[in-house]
Amino acid sequence: MPNAPAIDPQRPTPGPARSSARSSARSSARSSADAWRGLLLLALTLAVYWPALLGEYVWDDDAHITKAALRSLDGLRRIWTELGATQQYYPLLHSAFWVEARLWGDAVLGYHLVNVVLHVIAACLVVTLCQRLAIKGAWLAGAIFALHPINVESVAWISEQKNTLSLVFYLLAAIAYLRFDDARKPRDFCVASALFLCALMTKTVTASLPAALLVVFWWKRGRIEWRRDVVPLLPWFAVAAASGLFTAWVERHLIGAAGTEYNLDVLQRALLAGRVICFYLGTIVWPTNLIFTYPHWTVDASALWQYDFDLALIALAFAFWSIRSRTRAPLAALLFFGGSLFPVLGFLDIYPFRYSYVADHFAYLASLGVIVPVSAGLAIAIEHVSAPVARRAGQVAIAALLAVLAVLSNVQSRMYTDAKTLYRTTIARNPGDWMAHNNLGRIYSHGALHRAKAIAEFEAVIRLKPDHARAHYSLGVALFLSGRGPEAVDHFQKAIQYEPKNALIVGNSHYFLGVIFTAMPGRLEEAISNLEIVVKMRPSDAESRAALDGAMRARSTALTRKPPDGWPDFH
């Protein structure tokens, strides 16, 4: 073999043991480097989210934090077995909240720290998954995911621990299943299945995982085999479908995802889905002017421009399909992105659609479908640059990108320092957000000092949403407490009209009407009729019964009082 390399007799030929040792050393060095990168990412993410770490509860955080009545072992049982015991039926999520409540009670810092740590763990698992799939730019993808502003809502809002925790289980399940796909060991399948169930019990948006795995297999191998790829995932598809349908039922019948906001036909829902996907694509690529509550779109099938989103997606999918022989990555990324968004595209009714069809936290998982391929593309582009100066310029540009994302996320996290700041910022960016006006009004109404501001906010809600029963009720209470009882009458009556099945609003409105009419000349009969309704609804309510007795005494006194001189006496 004349072309064989010369062998130095003084130097031993590398054997399997030495090669294995070198491989082990490289693996150990990489693991150590990854550990340091992970710690650096944690420190950077904590710094970015520092304003939110020092923040307070916002919106429904207090409803998600385990209530005092559920902090016992029996409360933990109720979390798993009783629908309605918690804000949503995600038993593993609320078990995590139960543990946290036992550790630090209502201290907000603990919940925020857990959310940030879970977010960083998820980012590191993104790195691990990319490395497992030999995707370039793994750490860049993890860093962009950790620092991207669209994820601030999921991390800075305590209630969205369902996002951060479920994604950790989702990614762990994906990594475990890929291990099973390689070795076909039943133990790996059982571990992956258990992790997938944990993800579903934390948030059912993770039901898209089996479909996502099939997309990954198609991307890697160019085909999907029935026996190898599909059959093992059939139980996962069955559990995912059952979980999704159950959550949809809970959203509609227990949480309240019903009303005129959800009256969309099939065509309208298809138009909405295309617009939602395009919205999130644009927001992830250009994350500016992010809002806690976006404007509520009007879906109009007669407006031709609303078809543009679906047509653009069809054209994009066709373009990606046409280049599949060269690269399947773009189409796989689009399929993952759209599939991960499916639960929030409008085909299923979910409660937040009452306020807006889009929200940043809906894109938490799906954002990986954009972040990972973009990171891979940037890494490949820099790798193929031969000139050292150009390569250094590319690295500087990536560092600048991460810095910009970190600054934007830091600014965005300041919205979540307290509820008042959140609602004021939201109203400044979306003046038509009646929910923010209403919640800000409720904050102002807690003290007499800001009652005029509360009245102004509730009036804004009614201008934007005239049939908002709770805003009418709250405005009525604020007017009553401000000594403007007669002005409150119409609002209490409308509160009863618009939400006649809400016993609390109906009962309280009748009570206030009774008290107001008692003080108004000539309206004692109306006072008594309203107070009789309250007493019938709440037989043990001493305050309502006392008000009714007072109104009846006033009527009796009026009937027996001697008329003034000059009045005809009919007795």
Side-chain angles (χ1 to χ4, degrees):
M1 298 178 63
N3 294 326
I7 297 176
D8 185 352
Q10 300 299 320
R11 182 185 231 171
T13 304
R18 180 168 299 214
S19 177
S20 175
R22 278 203 292 262
S23 176
S24 176
R26 284 196 299 269
S27 177
S28 176
R30 192 178 76 172
S31 297
S32 177
D34 284 350
W36 281 109
R37 290 190 186 105
L39 289 174
L40 178 61
L41 188 59
L42 174 61
L44 182 57
T45 308
L46 285 169
V48 165
Y49 282 94
W50 188 256
L53 292 177
L54 303 177
E56 303 172 2
Y57 292 150
V58 298
W59 200 19
D60 62 347
D61 280 345
D62 56 347
H64 278 79
I65 301 303
T66 307
K67 300 180 180 66
L70 295 176
R71 293 183 183 180
S72 62
L73 287 175
D74 183 65
L76 183 60
R77 175 194 63 78
R78 290 178 59 198
I79 287 171
W80 284 84
T81 61
E82 186 180 317
L83 284 177
T86 52
Q87 181 83 345
Q88 293 170 295
Y89 186 73
Y90 292 142
L92 194 56
L93 166 71
H94 286 284
S95 295
F97 277 134
W98 183 87
V99 171
E100 292 168 54
R102 299 274 295 212
L103 290 173
W104 48 71
D106 295 324
V108 182
L109 178 61
Y111 297 99
H112 281 307
L113 283 173
V114 168
N115 238 18
V116 172
V117 170
L118 286 171
H119 180 56
V120 175
I121 291 173
C124 292
L125 288 172
V126 169
V127 175
T128 301
L129 186 59
C130 289
Q131 291 173 341
R132 177 71 179 71
L133 294 170
I135 298 175
K136 299 285 187 180
W139 272 106
L140 177 58
I144 291 177
F145 179 76
L147 302 176
H148 201 289
I150 201 170
N151 293 329
V152 169
E153 187 169 286
S154 295
V155 182
W157 185 8
I158 293 172
S159 296
E160 286 308 310
Q161 190 172 122
K162 63 175 78 75
N163 258 352
T164 56
L165 182 58
S166 67
L167 184 58
V168 168
F169 285 126
Y170 177 101
L171 294 170
L172 286 172
I175 293 168
Y177 193 87
L178 291 175
R179 188 181 300 117
F180 163 75
D181 184 62
D182 282 344
R184 296 283 150 169
K185 292 181 179 179
R187 182 182 64 180
D188 292 334
F189 181 81
C190 291
V191 170
S193 299
L195 289 167
F196 179 52
L197 287 174
C198 289
L200 289 174
M201 290 187 290
T202 309
K203 189 173 184 180
T204 49
V205 71
T206 56
S208 61
L209 177 55
L213 287 169
L214 291 182
V215 170
V216 169
F217 296 149
W218 174 78
W219 164 68
K220 286 176 62 179
R221 300 193 276 260
R223 65 187 184 280
I224 296 175
E225 299 177 8
W226 174 257
R227 290 181 62 84
R228 176 184 174 84
D229 299 328
V230 179
V231 170
L233 288 172
L234 288 178
W236 285 31
F237 276 109
V239 173
S243 177
L245 291 172
F246 174 73
T247 299
W249 182 88
V250 170
E251 287 279 332
R252 183 171 183 83
H253 296 281
L254 296 184
I255 300 179
T260 57
E261 298 90 346
Y262 306 92
N263 294 337
L264 302 175
D265 59 31
V266 175
L267 177 58
Q268 287 175 311
R269 291 177 186 272
L271 293 175
L272 176 61
R275 188 172 181 181
V276 167
I277 293 174
C278 290
F279 172 85
Y280 288 126
L281 278 173
T283 304
I284 294 168
V285 172
W286 195 257
T288 59
N289 198 33
L290 303 179
I291 312 175
F292 182 66
T293 308
Y294 292 93
H296 197 284
W297 303 329
T298 298
V299 185
D300 184 3
S302 65
L304 294 180
W305 67 268
Q306 295 202 13
Y307 292 80
D308 292 345
F309 303 103
D310 291 74
L311 294 173
L313 286 174
I314 292 170
L316 187 63
F318 179 78
F320 289 164
W321 174 259
S322 66
I323 63 170
R324 70 190 184 283
S325 59
R326 283 180 286 167
T327 174
R328 293 183 292 273
L331 183 56
L334 183 61
L335 290 173
F336 174 88
F337 184 72
S340 299
L341 286 172
F342 180 79
V344 296
L345 292 182
F347 298 111
L348 302 173
D349 292 334
I350 56 176
Y351 185 77
F353 283 178
R354 182 178 299 274
Y355 311 114
S356 176
Y357 290 123
V358 289
D360 290 350
H361 67 274
F362 289 163
Y364 186 68
L365 165 60
S367 67
L368 294 174
V370 177
I371 291 172
V372 170
V374 167
S375 301
L378 291 173
I380 292 170
I382 292 177
E383 191 177 80
H384 282 74
V385 172
S386 56
V389 174
R391 181 174 294 184
R392 180 61 59 86
Q395 293 169 345
V396 170
I398 286 177
L401 170 64
L402 293 176
V404 169
L405 292 176
V407 170
L408 290 175
S409 291
N410 181 265
V411 171
Q412 187 73 3
S413 70
R414 296 174 193 175
M415 287 176 56
Y416 296 86
T417 53
D418 58 72
K420 192 181 294 185
T421 301
L422 178 64
Y423 299 133
R424 282 175 171 171
T425 307
T426 301
I427 291 169
R429 298 179 185 180
N430 178 18
D433 183 7
W434 56 264
M435 183 273 289
H437 280 292
N438 185 63
N439 289 354
L440 186 58
R442 291 173 63 186
I443 293 172
Y444 285 142
S445 65
H446 288 164
L449 187 62
H450 298 295
R451 196 164 287 145
K453 291 182 179 179
I455 291 172
E457 294 299 334
F458 293 133
E459 287 175 339
V461 178
I462 292 168
R463 283 195 302 273
L464 294 166
K465 190 172 175 60
D467 62 346
H468 196 297
R470 301 181 190 198
H472 279 290
Y473 170 76
S474 298
L475 177 56
V477 173
L479 290 169
F480 174 82
L481 295 176
S482 299
R484 298 161 61 183
E487 295 177 54
V489 169
D490 181 59
H491 296 292
F492 286 125
Q493 290 173 337
K494 285 182 177 176
I496 295 170
Q497 174 189 345
Y498 292 136
E499 212 164 319
K501 295 182 180 179
N502 188 318
L504 182 63
I505 285 182
V506 170
N508 287 355
S509 295
H510 279 298
Y511 171 80
F512 281 113
L513 286 171
V515 172
I516 292 168
F517 287 147
T518 299
M520 294 176 67
R523 307 198 71 168
L524 280 174
E525 293 301 326
E526 292 174 87
I528 290 170
S529 64
N530 276 279
L531 291 170
E532 283 177 339
I533 292 173
V534 185
V535 170
K536 186 176 180 180
M537 293 176 65
R538 308 169 182 171
S540 59
D541 186 354
E543 190 173 0
S544 300
R545 186 167 290 280
L548 175 59
D549 290 343
M552 295 184 76
R553 283 196 301 273
R555 182 179 64 177
S556 177
T557 301
L559 290 174
T560 57
R561 184 184 298 132
K562 185 178 183 298
D565 292 341
W567 280 32
D569 188 351
F570 297 107
H571 293 286

